[in-house]
Amino acid sequence: MGLILIAPGLMLVAALFLYPLCFSLISAFSKDGAFTLEWFAKAFELYSTDIVFTVVIVLASCALTGLAAIVIAGTLTLGENRYIVGTLKAIYRWPLFIPFIVAAQCMRTFLAKNGLMNNTFVSMGLMEPLQAMSFLDWRGIIATFVWKQTPFVALLLAGALASIDRATLEAGRNLGASRPRVLFELALPQVMPTLMVALVLSFVTMLSVLSVPMMVSGSQPTMLTVDMAFRINAYGDYATANALGVITYLISAGAAILYLKRGLSEGAPR
């Protein structure tokens, strides 16, 4: 009975994930029915810069997302000004309900040379019109990722912070520790596994997004998702695109392995 109940889910996973994964692996490692690494050599020759660019962009976005989420979650759980806490609680989750493609279009409108941000600064007298510059490059990609993923990480982190024992935090405050010190030295170490889970999930999500790098930054270098789409749409080169996909699998697997090693080391008996 148990197998019957889980059979639809297993079939869905097999059809939509396992089969495409196996097909991609076979296509990436074969040519005319024989094993080859030709497609990986071609991928590294053409897109080695984009591979490094992708890793740097996603890591930088994760770091900034984690920092912003810590500040938001810390304010929600340790903040004493009820107006600030209430306002932040009401608005910080809005980007969760916005698709990446809509977020990318919003950032194009906001970060362009004649966009909302520069026009606001000009109207306030903070900059001259000739000083306006476009942020539709790697900075725009990072800004979009951070804005989109921070609410997700902050939501998980705020829940974890709210569940820890308040007596420890109040003892730190009674001994004269500031709220930032209580947050970073007492509260954050207790919820680090939750933060790691959220950042790993954000890493994989940002690594797989196509719309943001394609719409926000049209210049080179770019991210691997754009390269894969270009190889398929422009050349019909599925083999090289699948090789880039395998490289993306390995990058995301590296993040997962680092998290699992940390979890196992923390759970090991001492």
Side-chain angles (χ1 to χ4, degrees), residues 120-166:
T120 301
F121 289 155
V122 170
S123 64
M124 295 174 63
L126 299 178
M127 92 168 35
E128 296 295 328
L130 294 178
Q131 294 176 323
M133 59 184 299
S134 173
F135 288 87
L136 297 179
D137 50 21
W138 61 270
R139 295 168 294 184
I141 298 176
I142 292 177
T144 307
F145 281 154
V146 172
W147 180 74
K148 183 70 176 67
Q149 287 300 119
T150 294
F152 169 73
V153 179
L155 185 64
L156 296 181
L157 193 59
L161 286 173
S163 65
I164 64 178
D165 186 8
R166 302 285 297 186

Side-chain angles (χ1 to χ4, degrees), residues 19-31 33-36 39 239 242 246:
Y19 172 73
L21 175 61
C22 294
F23 181 82
S24 297
L25 292 174
I26 294 172
S27 176
F29 285 100
S30 64
K31 181 180 180 181
F35 176 82
T36 182
W39 311 121
N242 285 325
V246 172

Side-chain angles (χ1 to χ4, degrees), residues 81-218:
N81 189 315
R82 61 190 182 92
Y83 296 105
I84 294 177
V85 173
T87 302
L88 186 60
K89 187 180 297 184
I91 66 175
Y92 87 95
R93 286 173 287 189
W94 289 359
L96 279 174
F97 305 98
I98 299 177
F100 271 104
I101 189 169
V102 178
Q105 181 58 36
C106 291
M107 285 300 174
R108 283 187 62 85
T109 305
F110 184 73
L111 298 175
K113 185 174 183 179
N114 294 319
L116 179 61
M117 182 180 69
N118 286 330
N119 287 336
T120 301
F121 289 155
V122 170
S123 64
M124 295 174 63
L126 299 178
M127 92 168 35
E128 296 295 328
L130 294 178
Q131 294 176 323
M133 59 184 299
S134 173
F135 288 87
L136 297 179
D137 50 21
W138 61 270
R139 295 168 294 184
I141 298 176
I142 292 177
T144 307
F145 281 154
V146 172
W147 180 74
K148 183 70 176 67
Q149 287 300 119
T150 294
F152 169 73
V153 179
L155 185 64
L156 296 181
L157 193 59
L161 286 173
S163 65
I164 64 178
D165 186 8
R166 302 285 297 186
T168 305
L169 309 183
E170 293 174 358
R173 290 289 289 158
N174 293 334
L175 292 174
S178 62
R179 281 195 297 272
R181 188 174 181 183
V182 169
L183 173 63
F184 285 97
E185 295 186 12
L186 296 178
L188 194 58
Q190 300 183 59
V191 297
M192 190 58 68
T194 300
L195 179 61
M196 289 294 296
V197 170
L199 290 180
V200 168
L201 294 176
S202 296
F203 181 93
V204 175
T205 299
M206 291 184 286
L207 193 64
S208 64
V209 174
L210 171 63
S211 56
V212 172
M214 180 174 287
M215 296 177 64
V216 174
S217 175

Side-chain angles (χ1 to χ4, degrees), residues 13-50:
V13 171
L16 299 182
F17 177 72
L18 293 179
Y19 172 73
L21 175 61
C22 294
F23 181 82
S24 297
L25 292 174
I26 294 172
S27 176
F29 285 100
S30 64
K31 181 180 180 181
D32 298 329
F35 176 82
T36 182
L37 295 177
E38 176 183 342
W39 311 121
F40 287 91
K42 185 176 181 180
F44 279 105
E45 179 183 357
L46 296 176
Y47 302 113
S48 57
T49 302
D50 290 350

